[in-house]
Structure formats: C-alpha cells, structure tokens
Amino acid sequence: MDQVLISFDVDGTLIRSIGEDANAFHKRAFSYVMKQIYGVDGTIDAIKHHGSTDKQVLINTLAHYGVPPSQSEPRVPEATDKMLEYARLHPEEVSLGLEILPGVAALLQELHSRKTVLIGLVTGNLEEIAWMKMMALGIYPFFSTPQFGGFGSDHIERGELVKVARRRAEELFPGGIKSHFHVGDTPADIQAASYGGAHAVGVCTGVFSALELTEAGKGNKHGVTILTGLADQSLFLQTVGL
C-alpha cells in the first residue's frame, strides 16, 4: 500500500497569532526560561525568529542580550526542560492569542478520512508544546494515530526534522511511502523540505511573499509548489496527488 506523507509546519501554516496576546504562551515560556536558567529579562520579540527551531530562537535571543552561544548552548537541555515545566504549569494559556487559519480544520479532516494519507508535524516547537497547541485548538484528532513528526526537541536544524518525521512515519506505518510533501510558510520550511527529500508546499499565510518562498525553493529536485493558503481544498489535494 503506497502511502502519501504530508508533514505540516505549525505557526504561520496551520495557526496564526492574533490580537494583543499574540502567541503569548510561547513568548512567556521563553521569557520564563531565560530568567530561570540564564538570569536574563528578555523576550523573543527582540529578534526575527520566523522559521527557526525553539533551540535556535533561545540561543539567538540570548546572544542579542549579551549571552554568547558558548555560554547558552551547554544549558539548552536544562532550558527546554524548564520550558516544558512552564507549559505544564500554564495549560490554560496555550491557545491564548492563536487561531486556526482558514480552511485548515476542513482540510485536515478530509486528509484524515483517506486511508493512504499519513499526517504529521514538522515544527521548531518542542514536541509536547506542539501537540498541546493542536489539542487546545481542536485539530489534534485529525493527525495520524499514533502521532508522529519532527520537532524542535529532536534537532536544532529544521531540515533534519523533515528526515526525522519521515523515518518515524516509515517505522510506525509499514507499507511504503510513495511521496512526501512538507507544508510551511517560511523560506526555512522550503529549504528544509529540499534537504529532507520532500516536495515543498509553500503557503503565503505568514510574513513571507510568494516570491521569497519561490526563491528559497530553487534547486529542490523534489519539487516546489506555492499556494496562497490552505483554504482551497481542491487545489491542495491536486498538489499532493489526491
């Protein structure tokens, strides 16, 4: 049974930040970690971090505040544990300032109904936090069971996460994977798809333009498709050969 693997980025692809509390949970978790582990009062809003894994965001933000990577990196495992501690202490904050993007719930539900489609995540979020977001926003049931993906807790480089997701899918769902599509809203997602051996599907639902996503996809021998978003279900299904 040839299967189609579709991995989705989370922030900017499936969900977006809105209002005064935009992405408040994640921001607060990072600030908590920086204060508790490094003694730094700071916010990830101090740097541009779209497309980065959580570990990269932490290291780069601390560098902005004067803590060099040589000092921050050795304590990253301790820091990620502390971030999860914050998440478990404040589950009521998970969906604060977040909403599902148009068409996402309906598309995931349709993909979930197809027996040959495997649906997972590839995100810079730590695994537990990524699934907490999916649960809080009501789309967790539409992912393949058992749940799988590649996460910021697995590796600091996003391209490696695409490979991790495919390897886990192959282990969990025997039968062979015919094709792999990775969906994301940043140039980093497009490049990660290429590195990980997947067809890149760029969506213009974040802060990057179609041109920027197209440029990032140059040289991807597995293919690149740029969409305005995920609201046009028929177009997406056509893109992934369904």
Side-chain angles (χ1 to χ4, degrees), residues 119 127 131 140-141 143-149 172-173:
I119 314 164
E127 181 172 7
W131 292 123
Y140 179 81
F143 291 89
S144 297
T145 305
Q147 287 74 25
F148 71 94
L172 291 168
F173 304 94

PDB file of all heavy atoms in Angstrom, residues 119 127 131 140-141 143-149 172-173:
ATOM      1  N   ILE A 119      -0.463  11.932   8.208  1.00  0.00           N
ATOM      2  CA  ILE A 119      -0.432  13.364   8.539  1.00  0.00           C
ATOM      3  C   ILE A 119       0.362  13.572   9.828  1.00  0.00           C
ATOM      4  O   ILE A 119      -0.002  13.046  10.887  1.00  0.00           O
ATOM      5  CB  ILE A 119      -1.854  13.918   8.740  1.00  0.00           C
ATOM      6  CG1 ILE A 119      -2.791  13.447   7.625  1.00  0.00           C
ATOM      7  CG2 ILE A 119      -1.825  15.443   8.800  1.00  0.00           C
ATOM      8  CD1 ILE A 119      -4.253  13.628   7.963  1.00  0.00           C
ATOM      9  N   GLU A 127       8.167  19.005  21.065  1.00  0.00           N
ATOM     10  CA  GLU A 127       7.092  18.086  20.708  1.00  0.00           C
ATOM     11  C   GLU A 127       5.858  18.246  21.596  1.00  0.00           C
ATOM     12  O   GLU A 127       4.725  18.350  21.105  1.00  0.00           O
ATOM     13  CB  GLU A 127       7.587  16.643  20.766  1.00  0.00           C
ATOM     14  CG  GLU A 127       6.519  15.638  20.394  1.00  0.00           C
ATOM     15  CD  GLU A 127       7.037  14.216  20.264  1.00  0.00           C
ATOM     16  OE1 GLU A 127       8.210  13.959  20.595  1.00  0.00           O
ATOM     17  OE2 GLU A 127       6.254  13.342  19.834  1.00  0.00           O
ATOM     18  N   TRP A 131       1.961  19.531  20.295  1.00  0.00           N
ATOM     19  CA  TRP A 131       0.710  18.777  20.419  1.00  0.00           C
ATOM     20  C   TRP A 131      -0.264  19.463  21.374  1.00  0.00           C
ATOM     21  O   TRP A 131      -1.491  19.376  21.199  1.00  0.00           O
ATOM     22  CB  TRP A 131       0.981  17.341  20.852  1.00  0.00           C
ATOM     23  CG  TRP A 131       1.673  16.525  19.808  1.00  0.00           C
ATOM     24  CD1 TRP A 131       2.862  15.855  19.915  1.00  0.00           C
ATOM     25  CD2 TRP A 131       1.213  16.262  18.463  1.00  0.00           C
ATOM     26  NE1 TRP A 131       3.176  15.212  18.744  1.00  0.00           N
ATOM     27  CE2 TRP A 131       2.179  15.431  17.832  1.00  0.00           C
ATOM     28  CE3 TRP A 131       0.085  16.638  17.738  1.00  0.00           C
ATOM     29  CZ2 TRP A 131       2.054  14.995  16.516  1.00  0.00           C
ATOM     30  CZ3 TRP A 131      -0.042  16.214  16.424  1.00  0.00           C
ATOM     31  CH2 TRP A 131       0.926  15.397  15.825  1.00  0.00           C
ATOM     32  N   TYR A 140      -6.198  18.302  16.950  1.00  0.00           N
ATOM     33  CA  TYR A 140      -5.375  17.134  17.296  1.00  0.00           C
ATOM     34  C   TYR A 140      -5.931  15.822  16.740  1.00  0.00           C
ATOM     35  O   TYR A 140      -5.162  14.991  16.233  1.00  0.00           O
ATOM     36  CB  TYR A 140      -5.243  17.062  18.821  1.00  0.00           C
ATOM     37  CG  TYR A 140      -4.437  15.903  19.344  1.00  0.00           C
ATOM     38  CD1 TYR A 140      -3.055  15.941  19.365  1.00  0.00           C
ATOM     39  CD2 TYR A 140      -5.066  14.757  19.854  1.00  0.00           C
ATOM     40  CE1 TYR A 140      -2.304  14.885  19.866  1.00  0.00           C
ATOM     41  CE2 TYR A 140      -4.341  13.701  20.358  1.00  0.00           C
ATOM     42  CZ  TYR A 140      -2.954  13.770  20.360  1.00  0.00           C
ATOM     43  OH  TYR A 140      -2.222  12.717  20.858  1.00  0.00           O
ATOM     44  N   PRO A 141      -7.254  15.583  16.773  1.00  0.00           N
ATOM     45  CA  PRO A 141      -7.787  14.287  16.316  1.00  0.00           C
ATOM     46  C   PRO A 141      -7.576  14.007  14.831  1.00  0.00           C
ATOM     47  O   PRO A 141      -7.730  12.869  14.392  1.00  0.00           O
ATOM     48  CB  PRO A 141      -9.287  14.384  16.635  1.00  0.00           C
ATOM     49  CG  PRO A 141      -9.396  15.435  17.677  1.00  0.00           C
ATOM     50  CD  PRO A 141      -8.322  16.419  17.350  1.00  0.00           C
ATOM     51  N   PHE A 143      -4.808  14.251  13.090  1.00  0.00           N
ATOM     52  CA  PHE A 143      -3.480  13.749  12.747  1.00  0.00           C
ATOM     53  C   PHE A 143      -3.463  12.226  12.859  1.00  0.00           C
ATOM     54  O   PHE A 143      -4.241  11.624  13.600  1.00  0.00           O
ATOM     55  CB  PHE A 143      -2.416  14.389  13.640  1.00  0.00           C
ATOM     56  CG  PHE A 143      -2.225  15.852  13.364  1.00  0.00           C
ATOM     57  CD1 PHE A 143      -2.990  16.806  14.024  1.00  0.00           C
ATOM     58  CD2 PHE A 143      -1.314  16.276  12.410  1.00  0.00           C
ATOM     59  CE1 PHE A 143      -2.848  18.161  13.741  1.00  0.00           C
ATOM     60  CE2 PHE A 143      -1.164  17.626  12.116  1.00  0.00           C
ATOM     61  CZ  PHE A 143      -1.932  18.566  12.783  1.00  0.00           C
ATOM     62  N   SER A 144      -2.560  11.615  12.100  1.00  0.00           N
ATOM     63  CA  SER A 144      -2.482  10.154  12.102  1.00  0.00           C
ATOM     64  C   SER A 144      -2.193   9.634  13.501  1.00  0.00           C
ATOM     65  O   SER A 144      -1.502  10.279  14.298  1.00  0.00           O
ATOM     66  CB  SER A 144      -1.388   9.689  11.142  1.00  0.00           C
ATOM     67  OG  SER A 144      -1.693  10.065   9.815  1.00  0.00           O
ATOM     68  N   THR A 145      -2.716   8.454  13.791  1.00  0.00           N
ATOM     69  CA  THR A 145      -2.507   7.791  15.081  1.00  0.00           C
ATOM     70  C   THR A 145      -1.740   6.492  14.864  1.00  0.00           C
ATOM     71  O   THR A 145      -2.140   5.680  14.031  1.00  0.00           O
ATOM     72  CB  THR A 145      -3.849   7.480  15.755  1.00  0.00           C
ATOM     73  OG1 THR A 145      -4.612   8.704  15.866  1.00  0.00           O
ATOM     74  CG2 THR A 145      -3.640   6.898  17.143  1.00  0.00           C
ATOM     75  N   PRO A 146      -0.635   6.267  15.584  1.00  0.00           N
ATOM     76  CA  PRO A 146      -0.052   7.147  16.594  1.00  0.00           C
ATOM     77  C   PRO A 146       0.547   8.418  15.984  1.00  0.00           C
ATOM     78  O   PRO A 146       0.995   8.403  14.833  1.00  0.00           O
ATOM     79  CB  PRO A 146       1.036   6.277  17.228  1.00  0.00           C
ATOM     80  CG  PRO A 146       1.383   5.281  16.173  1.00  0.00           C
ATOM     81  CD  PRO A 146       0.127   5.009  15.422  1.00  0.00           C
ATOM     82  N   GLN A 147       0.521   9.489  16.769  1.00  0.00           N
ATOM     83  CA  GLN A 147       1.009  10.764  16.295  1.00  0.00           C
ATOM     84  C   GLN A 147       2.531  10.702  16.062  1.00  0.00           C
ATOM     85  O   GLN A 147       3.241  10.005  16.774  1.00  0.00           O
ATOM     86  CB  GLN A 147       0.692  11.873  17.303  1.00  0.00           C
ATOM     87  CG  GLN A 147      -0.764  12.279  17.349  1.00  0.00           C
ATOM     88  CD  GLN A 147      -1.643  11.247  18.033  1.00  0.00           C
ATOM     89  OE1 GLN A 147      -1.163  10.472  18.861  1.00  0.00           O
ATOM     90  NE2 GLN A 147      -2.931  11.233  17.720  1.00  0.00           N
ATOM     91  N   PHE A 148       2.984  11.455  15.076  1.00  0.00           N
ATOM     92  CA  PHE A 148       4.411  11.457  14.759  1.00  0.00           C
ATOM     93  C   PHE A 148       4.810  12.809  14.171  1.00  0.00           C
ATOM     94  O   PHE A 148       3.967  13.629  13.814  1.00  0.00           O
ATOM     95  CB  PHE A 148       4.739  10.344  13.752  1.00  0.00           C
ATOM     96  CG  PHE A 148       4.215  10.615  12.363  1.00  0.00           C
ATOM     97  CD1 PHE A 148       5.021  11.229  11.416  1.00  0.00           C
ATOM     98  CD2 PHE A 148       2.909  10.287  12.018  1.00  0.00           C
ATOM     99  CE1 PHE A 148       4.534  11.510  10.147  1.00  0.00           C
ATOM    100  CE2 PHE A 148       2.416  10.553  10.743  1.00  0.00           C
ATOM    101  CZ  PHE A 148       3.231  11.170   9.811  1.00  0.00           C
ATOM    102  N   GLY A 149       6.101  13.003  14.032  1.00  0.00           N
ATOM    103  CA  GLY A 149       6.611  14.222  13.399  1.00  0.00           C
ATOM    104  C   GLY A 149       8.069  14.433  13.724  1.00  0.00           C
ATOM    105  O   GLY A 149       8.742  13.571  14.290  1.00  0.00           O
ATOM    106  N   LEU A 172       6.341   3.585  11.943  1.00  0.00           N
ATOM    107  CA  LEU A 172       5.010   3.424  12.542  1.00  0.00           C
ATOM    108  C   LEU A 172       3.964   2.883  11.576  1.00  0.00           C
ATOM    109  O   LEU A 172       3.004   2.230  11.992  1.00  0.00           O
ATOM    110  CB  LEU A 172       4.530   4.767  13.098  1.00  0.00           C
ATOM    111  CG  LEU A 172       5.262   5.305  14.331  1.00  0.00           C
ATOM    112  CD1 LEU A 172       4.876   6.750  14.582  1.00  0.00           C
ATOM    113  CD2 LEU A 172       4.962   4.444  15.549  1.00  0.00           C
ATOM    114  N   PHE A 173       4.156   3.156  10.281  1.00  0.00           N
ATOM    115  CA  PHE A 173       3.143   2.794   9.288  1.00  0.00           C
ATOM    116  C   PHE A 173       3.782   2.001   8.147  1.00  0.00           C
ATOM    117  O   PHE A 173       4.062   2.569   7.074  1.00  0.00           O
ATOM    118  CB  PHE A 173       2.452   4.048   8.757  1.00  0.00           C
ATOM    119  CG  PHE A 173       1.832   4.903   9.829  1.00  0.00           C
ATOM    120  CD1 PHE A 173       2.537   5.973  10.372  1.00  0.00           C
ATOM    121  CD2 PHE A 173       0.563   4.637  10.309  1.00  0.00           C
ATOM    122  CE1 PHE A 173       1.976   6.768  11.371  1.00  0.00           C
ATOM    123  CE2 PHE A 173      -0.006   5.417  11.304  1.00  0.00           C
ATOM    124  CZ  PHE A 173       0.706   6.480  11.844  1.00  0.00           C
TER     125      PHE A 173
END
